[in-house]
Amino acid sequence: MTATPTSAAAQAIEDVADDGTVQIAQQRHSDAKKAERKLGLMLVAPAVVIMLAVAAYPILYAFWLSLNKADLRRPDDNEFIFLDNYITVLSSPIWWTAFGVTMLITIVGATFELILGMGLAIVMHRTLVGRGLVRTSALVPYAIVTVVAAFSWRFAWTQGLGWLAPETSAPLTEFWPSIWIIILAEVWKTVPFMALLLMAGLALVPEDLLKAASMDGASAWKRFWLVTVPLIKPAILVALLFRTLDAFRVFDNIFILTSGSNQTSSVSMVAYSNLIRGLNLGIGSAMSVLIFLTTGLIAFAFIKLFGAAAPGADAGGKR
Amino acid sequence: MQPETRNRKLMWWGVNTVVLLYAFVPVVWIVSLSLKDDATLNDGNYLPTSPSTESYSAIFSNSDFLRALANSIGICIIATLIAIVFGTMAAYAIARLDFPGKKTIVATALLVSMFPQIALVTPLFKIETALGLFDTWPGLIIPYIAFALPLAIYTLSAFFREIPWDLEKAAKMDGATPYQAFRRVITPLAMPGVFTTAILVFISCWNDFLFALSLTSTSAARTVPAAMSYFTGATTFEKPTGPIAAAAVVITIPIVIFVLVFQRRIVAGLTSGAVKG
């Protein structure tokens, strides 16, 4: 009987000891957690500060400027005019023409890029010969400075100079030919990037599945639409989202190819003209904010309507 | 089976040729323009009939172009280095550490990468003028870093997730100090990813036109893409075709060679950052 209380006491002591070690371990654990958090925050701090300083603060500042007259030609005349700049912009045919042109280039461009990009991705993925050669040369348009490519197209289509130019007309001085050349320049440059993203998707399609479908008598066309496309849908949506947002910002090609003449300005071109040529910061900022909002809407629509998972949106990114 | 394989190979060579033509036709055209002399410049031929280096001697004796080339190289290298250092730190934290606000940071980076840059031109112009950064190297370097960071963070964190970090523990068990474990085991594994990211970041800086155009006003900080659009010919309306083509080739060739040499890594970098996230 004497043994029982002793052992009970021993047990109790042990319990305490156990608790103690557990607590100490927990303490250590949470200390380590704290240290890890601190280190993590310290490591991301410089990157976050720069991104906020260059992107977040200026967009707020642009929003403020857009509510002011802020015309550098009349600096003393600055006053708070609330939404007047927006009314001016949104009732201006120049803005809506530019908006239409930008949308046209974005939609037509992205469509061609998706089709050609898919074709190129399949070639890079499937070709039996010279795979390295094809992949390498496909990167060339991606690597070339947009301005350089734009000059190449511009000279090619300049009457009396270029190898593509017709004898009797100057395509870059007319609206529709200019638009098509701008789309051509955009598409040429960005198809490889699209193709690389799609190729990464293609690599994830199990070969067995395609073989099985083939055994069951599915044609190559059917295999593509019924097996490959559903499986690489996420890659397609991410690539399309990227390209749509990028195409909406089109500037370099138009600046070099037409300088926005014959109503070929994009929204970025119009905003740029108001800032640098017109020195009207109020109007330019209102346009900037509108472009920012439109981009946001496009991204939102993609993510909500199509369920495009933006890269890293799942934070772990372990897809 | 044998002739069928041969036919399929032939078909693929045909398809490959189309891809090669697609990629190289505009490039060869600008090279050939840069090699045409004054007499044949306007003949409209795809290839030069009497190649000359006239245009190249013209741009290499043009101080504005040389200055722009120095600006491009200097600004892009500095921006790349800083973006890689900060990007590596952030990507390591995102890939390896647990801390609050991680999702917010990834989302912020994503937002910045999708940002319409024109929306920043007006405010940055105003801010930089006020701070005296307008038309200086830092005035371009800072926005370049900001827009390179999302790219760097995505690509690097994707690479870092692939590293077998247990090796570090193993090295320590074998008696390596933490520094040795990092220096001898982790660094060699991480370097290819860092290097690839540096190439991608450099290309994106080298490519920029909008900021170079709107945040500079003289040759003090103007980079080659912007300088090219300011080249003037005999009249204001006439663009000097030869020199522009030559300048275009000068800034294109190094990048193309770079890309050709590091093709495999660049493909890995572009796809890992964007797809695996």
Side-chain angles (χ1 to χ4, degrees):
Chain A
M1 284 298 274
T2 48
T4 318
T6 325
S7 64
Q11 191 61 47
I13 289 165
E14 248 172 45
D15 279 355
V16 171
D18 260 5
D19 263 346
T21 21
V22 168
Q23 268 170 13
I24 289 165
Q26 270 173 352
Q27 183 72 37
R28 272 202 200 128
H29 189 60
S30 79
D31 275 354
K33 274 262 167 220
K34 254 186 217 157
E36 187 177 328
R37 280 181 182 187
K38 210 174 149 198
L39 179 65
L41 289 174
M42 271 166 56
L43 286 175
V44 293
V48 171
V49 167
I50 292 194
M51 288 193 293
L52 290 182
V54 178
Y57 173 68
I59 195 71
L60 292 176
Y61 188 54
F63 185 65
W64 168 247
L65 278 175
S66 74
L67 301 176
N68 283 274
K69 215 165 200 174
D71 188 333
L72 282 187
R73 289 164 304 177
R74 284 186 292 266
D76 302 330
D77 207 16
N78 195 13
E79 54 174 330
F80 185 79
I81 53 169
F82 200 45
L83 294 176
D84 275 10
N85 284 327
Y86 290 93
I87 294 169
T88 312
V89 172
L90 291 175
S91 57
S92 135
I94 298 176
W95 165 261
W96 287 110
T97 309
F99 192 84
V101 165
T102 313
M103 279 310 227
L104 181 73
I105 294 173
T106 305
I107 294 170
V108 177
T111 309
F112 275 108
E113 280 156 21
L114 182 61
I115 297 168
L116 293 175
M118 184 62 91
L120 181 57
I122 292 173
V123 173
M124 292 195 294
H125 186 61
R126 288 267 160 220
T127 186
L128 295 175
V129 286
R131 190 171 291 181
L133 180 72
V134 170
R135 287 189 184 186
T136 307
S137 44
L139 278 178
V140 168
Y142 158 78
I144 279 181
V145 176
T146 313
V147 171
V148 166
F151 269 118
S152 174
W153 292 116
R154 175 177 152 162
F155 293 146
W157 291 98
T158 301
Q159 201 179 7
L161 171 73
W163 62 287
L164 289 171
E167 298 263 328
T168 50
S169 66
L172 286 170
T173 60
E174 294 164 42
F175 177 75
W176 282 108
S178 301
I179 294 290
W180 284 112
I181 294 170
I182 292 166
I183 292 177
L184 167 74
E186 282 278 303
V187 169
W188 179 78
K189 164 103 179 121
T190 48
V191 158
F193 181 70
M194 194 83 154
L196 284 176
L197 296 190
L198 295 175
M199 189 179 79
L202 286 179
L204 300 178
V205 177
E207 205 61 24
D208 295 351
L209 213 55
L210 292 171
K211 272 206 187 112
S214 177
M215 295 272 205
D216 290 345
S219 63
W221 186 248
K222 274 203 162 159
R223 289 201 297 275
F224 176 72
W225 282 106
L226 298 177
V227 180
T228 308
V229 169
L231 279 175
I232 64 167
K233 193 178 151 226
I236 294 177
L237 287 173
V238 167
L240 258 188
L241 172 63
F242 266 132
R243 270 309 302 155
T244 310
L245 293 181
D246 213 32
F248 195 77
R249 305 184 280 203
V250 56
F251 178 82
D252 304 13
N253 272 319
I254 298 181
F255 190 95
I256 301 296
L257 283 166
T258 66
S259 316
S261 58
N262 306 303
Q263 305 189 311
T264 52
S265 279
S266 65
V267 283
S268 292
M269 278 291 296
V270 175
Y272 173 84
S273 311
N274 271 284
L275 167 71
I276 301 293
R277 297 196 190 131
L279 293 176
N280 194 327
L281 301 190
I283 297 282
S285 299
M287 289 177 172
S288 298
V289 172
L290 288 171
I291 297 170
F292 176 65
L293 292 179
T294 314
T295 318
L297 272 180
I298 295 175
F300 185 77
F302 258 97
I303 290 165
K304 283 288 155 193
L305 293 180
F306 305 119
D314 56 344
K318 282 164 191 134
R319 255 179 295 152
Chain B
M1 280 313 269
Q2 213 52 9
E4 199 193 324
T5 324
R6 202 191 322 138
N7 281 345
R8 288 180 77 184
K9 275 195 176 168
L10 271 176
M11 181 205 74
W12 280 116
W13 274 122
V15 175
N16 291 355
T17 313
V18 174
V19 174
L20 291 187
L21 284 176
Y22 172 89
F24 283 103
V25 162
V27 184
V28 174
W29 160 245
I30 199 97
V31 174
S32 101
L33 258 188
S34 74
L35 291 172
K36 285 184 177 183
D37 56 15
D38 267 347
T40 57
L41 188 62
N42 289 320
D43 64 3
N45 283 337
Y46 185 70
L47 293 173
T49 40
S50 54
S52 90
T53 53
E54 254 173 56
S55 302
Y56 289 93
S57 26
I59 54 162
F60 278 108
S61 56
N62 175 341
S63 62
D64 276 351
F65 174 75
L66 293 176
R67 182 64 215 249
L69 195 58
N71 289 340
S72 265
I73 296 170
I75 289 172
C76 292
I77 289 179
I78 296 174
T80 305
L81 286 179
I82 300 177
I84 289 296
V85 171
F86 290 168
T88 306
M89 287 160 53
Y92 176 85
I94 287 169
R96 289 272 291 154
L97 303 176
D98 188 30
F99 59 96
K102 203 164 162 176
K103 279 189 181 176
T104 321
I105 289 160
V106 175
T108 310
L110 185 70
L111 265 183
V112 171
S113 74
M114 293 181 171
F115 217 83
Q117 279 137 335
I118 187 74
L120 297 181
V121 165
T122 316
L124 281 180
F125 174 79
K126 196 89 198 290
I127 296 166
E128 295 206 346
T129 321
L131 295 175
L133 286 173
F134 180 73
D135 201 22
T136 63
W137 278 28
L140 280 182
I141 291 173
I142 296 168
Y144 285 1
I145 296 172
F147 279 94
L149 275 171
L151 176 68
I153 292 175
Y154 277 126
T155 317
L156 284 168
S157 54
F159 275 119
F160 287 170
R161 281 200 199 99
E162 307 282 307
I163 293 179
W165 293 94
D166 289 346
L167 282 181
E168 193 181 27
K169 262 187 221 153
K172 280 185 198 155
M173 290 231 203
D174 289 345
T177 65
Y179 174 74
Q180 277 174 330
F182 186 77
R183 175 77 193 74
R184 304 255 168 133
V185 179
I186 297 304
T187 309
L189 288 170
M191 273 326 274
V194 173
F195 183 75
T196 305
T197 311
I199 298 177
L200 299 181
V201 166
F202 186 85
I203 290 177
S204 79
C205 296
W206 194 250
N207 203 347
D208 171 76
F209 182 57
L210 183 58
F211 286 138
L213 199 63
S214 37
L215 299 179
T216 64
S217 58
T218 65
S219 59
R222 196 174 271 156
T223 57
V224 182
M228 272 167 64
S229 73
Y230 281 103
F231 276 0
T232 42
T235 70
T236 339
F237 298 104
E238 188 193 320
K239 285 279 178 197
T241 312
I244 288 180
V249 173
V250 169
I251 62 166
T252 300
I253 297 303
I255 297 292
V256 169
I257 292 174
F258 228 45
V259 166
L260 298 188
V261 172
F262 298 109
Q263 179 262 128
R264 224 169 263 276
R265 286 185 171 184
I266 292 175
V267 171
L270 281 172
T271 51
S272 70
V275 175
K276 289 186 212 139

